[in-house]
Amino acid sequence: MPLRDTSAHQAATDRTFQVDLRGLVDLLSHHLYSSPRVYLRELMQNAVDALTARHAIEPHGAFGIRLYADGSVVRVEDDGVGLTEDDVHTFLATIGRSSKRAEGIAEQRADFIGQFGIGLLSCFLVADEIHVLSRSARTPDAPAVEWRGRGDGSYTVRTLPASAHPRPGTTVTLTPRTDAGEWTRPAQVHTLARHFGSLLRHPLTFDDGTGGQGAAINPEPAPWARTHPTPGARSRALAAYGQEVFGFTPLDTIELDLPAVGLKGIACVLPEAVPAGRRHGHRVHVKGMLLSEQAEEILPEWAFFVRCVVDAESLRPTASRESLYEDDTLAAVRDALAERLRAWIARAAASDPDLLHRFLQAHHLAVKSLAVHDDEILRMLLPWLPFETTDGHCTLDEFARTHRTVLVTSSVEEFRQVAAIASAAGLGVVNGGYTYDRELVHRLPEIRPEASVADLDPATLTAHLDPVDRETELAAAAYLAQARDALSVFDCDVALRTFQPASAPALLVDSREARHERTRSQLAREQEGGLWGDILGALRQEAPRAQLILNQLNPLVRTAVSIDEPELARTSAEALYGQAAMLSRRPLRPAESSLINRSFLDLLAHALRKDS
């Protein structure tokens, strides 16, 4: 049976969404706002926007904001533009609509902090009723308008004589719920007002109801907006502010000024190193109001050596007004601030060697991460960056002066294996195992064309070890054969050389190629008899192996190579291998740990038998 078309018989009816205000407030508290404390910021923000609109019609007026909290009520009064009765019905009773969109103000939206029209709802996080008394500054002798909104979604509006609110502006009064005392006590309201509003451009005072005159919350302008008698005094004042805000004495302060977006502030250089990639949040104010203490997005990732406090005009807040909206403006600001940090590093390199040295001591890893991607920083600072070398910790500039060819290892483990012996042999080796180091060392010839850089090849090291004479080699041949057989399970060859220091009995040279070969060898054994086993077996025959190089100058080795008991010779070779593996400081494989234990016990047992 075909479906009937009922469109001609049923007329569509327009309906209005029904909003559960309590559910909406719960949604705001759990998913939009980080804490109920934002209610005071939203009230202050609305007051600031009202003052901005008032200044648009009375540019030279002296207007401000007054806070009052005595434990029973919280009140915010402003001398702003105020509301008419129509405004109250339009803006206070319609969720999501903002008075900043009103006719005649919409074109000035850049002058306002809030643009989402939901801020007043945050008051329901701490109170069940909001009382608003307002009088418009746009109409002479305008009446006062009272609005009462309740948490159940109901509200009342009534018009009062102008005397009910003697001067234009708005007063918002909250009667806190009993469970909201944490956020509405007088001391807490005062703390929150200072926290959010210390950089506001309008006078802000607080009264706790004890009868005293309202205390100024923001008696002075932002520190970068003040005048100072000397550059040194200014620098000290900015450093003191950085210490007050962040709790540490900055290594230096960098002034930030981007007129295109109305941004001013400072970057405080941390006096101590921070873990790589650990990003600190920055304090961002928008038109004086604190937006976020954890705004990571204001600077690039590599700038984790500073913490910033800035005040901006043209950055867009998100709906919660607790972070920044990622757009082209923010991206441009981030790039511009990064350029300011580069310029500071350049100035330090050119004119303040002591500051540069202290900075690099603490933050060389941050600078290395920047130098990898920034040719300008690379040219300026690569010679001054510290590296771990066979000459100790020193700069590449110092190291390249004494070593015409700079060798670099691929891992920390490889450097640990060869450092002492390479140093004794006169080789200049840099530890390239740390983040960025190997890549940066290879770029040294771009800055110092006379320098030569190469990866350390085990063959390069062994070529600098002196061979033993023919008679000694022949006398040790039997022992070396036993040692090679004992260590074949580790794909390790054995050789006899002389090298310094004589206290080192053996050197284990274990290249990346040898480690890859062991992996292939293991796979070949698992695939033995198959096609892949044949292929991997053929590769194994040609691939390099690890080398245990015994030091003929060491008394222990001279004794070992004279052993004529086959089992004892094998045990001593295993013990020498185990000691060399431990000295390399690389992680031991289970088979190697077992070998070390077994060889120690076998040597101990042999010694006990000999004594008995």
Side-chain angles (χ1 to χ4, degrees), residues 17-342:
F17 283 107
Q18 300 299 307
V19 177
D20 178 359
L21 189 58
R22 291 190 184 278
L24 182 57
V25 171
D26 183 68
L27 182 68
L28 295 179
S29 65
H30 288 91
H31 300 285
L32 184 64
Y33 295 124
S34 60
S35 164
R37 69 177 185 168
V38 299
Y39 83 92
L40 188 66
R41 183 199 65 194
E42 296 293 339
L43 289 178
M44 292 166 55
Q45 186 168 278
N46 286 343
V48 170
D49 288 338
L51 291 178
T52 302
R54 180 79 181 270
H55 276 292
I57 57 178
E58 298 180 54
H60 304 295
F63 309 123
I65 305 170
R66 296 165 296 281
L67 306 181
Y68 177 90
D70 62 1
S72 59
V73 298
V74 175
R75 186 164 62 242
V76 179
E77 302 176 3
D78 68 67
D79 301 319
V81 71
L83 299 171
T84 65
E85 183 177 359
D86 288 342
D87 291 338
V88 167
H89 283 289
T90 303
F91 302 120
L92 298 188
T94 305
I95 294 172
R97 181 174 293 178
S98 171
S99 61
K100 272 75 79 176
R101 297 188 179 94
E103 184 179 356
I105 299 181
E107 64 272 14
Q108 305 171 21
R109 285 182 59 180
D111 294 332
F112 298 93
I113 303 171
Q115 298 180 8
F116 295 91
I118 56 175
L120 196 62
L121 289 181
S122 66
C123 296
F124 287 120
L125 300 177
V126 298
D128 286 328
E129 182 174 288
I130 305 170
H131 177 250
V132 178
L133 189 61
S134 186
R135 183 180 165 201
S136 176
R138 296 182 180 280
T139 305
D141 301 322
V145 182
E146 180 190 62
W147 179 87
R148 290 183 182 272
R150 289 169 285 276
D152 60 6
S154 63
Y155 70 93
T156 59
V157 179
R158 62 174 179 160
T159 301
L160 301 175
S163 59
H165 204 279
R167 55 186 179 185
T170 300
T171 300
V172 180
T173 303
L174 309 179
T175 302
R177 293 195 305 270
T178 55
D179 63 350
E182 177 183 359
W183 307 109
T184 57
R185 293 192 304 269
Q188 180 68 291
V189 173
H190 181 263
T191 298
L192 292 178
R194 282 186 55 82
H195 180 72
F196 290 119
S198 62
L199 297 186
L200 286 176
R201 293 88 182 267
H202 305 283
L204 177 64
T205 60
F206 174 77
D207 182 356
D208 62 3
T210 58
Q213 188 175 3
I217 296 294
N218 56 342
E220 296 183 311
W224 45 83
R226 303 172 201 162
T227 57
H228 300 86
T230 64
R234 182 177 181 83
S235 178
R236 289 189 294 273
L238 293 178
Y241 180 72
Q243 183 172 14
E244 177 187 345
V245 171
F246 296 123
F248 63 83
T249 302
L251 185 66
D252 196 15
T253 55
I254 307 166
E255 286 207 55
L256 306 174
D257 187 1
L258 303 178
V261 292
L263 182 146
K264 290 181 179 291
I266 57 172
C268 297
V269 182
L270 290 157
E272 297 178 349
V274 294
R278 179 181 174 185
R279 302 182 66 187
H280 286 290
H282 307 288
R283 289 175 65 93
V284 175
H285 299 251
V286 175
K287 301 177 182 66
M289 183 72 73
L290 179 65
L291 181 79
S292 174
E293 297 174 274
Q294 300 295 326
E296 295 182 354
E297 62 274 17
I298 197 73
L299 286 179
E301 291 186 8
W302 55 259
F304 53 81
F305 56 88
V306 297
R307 294 193 69 182
C308 293
V309 52
V310 299
D311 186 18
E313 296 284 339
S314 301
L315 294 177
R316 289 178 58 194
T318 58
S320 67
R321 290 186 283 274
E322 295 184 313
S323 59
L324 294 171
Y325 187 81
E326 188 69 47
D327 58 9
D328 292 342
T329 300
L330 179 58
V333 166
R334 185 163 49 237
D335 290 343
L337 293 180
E339 187 56 38
R340 298 296 187 276
L341 298 185
R342 290 189 185 95

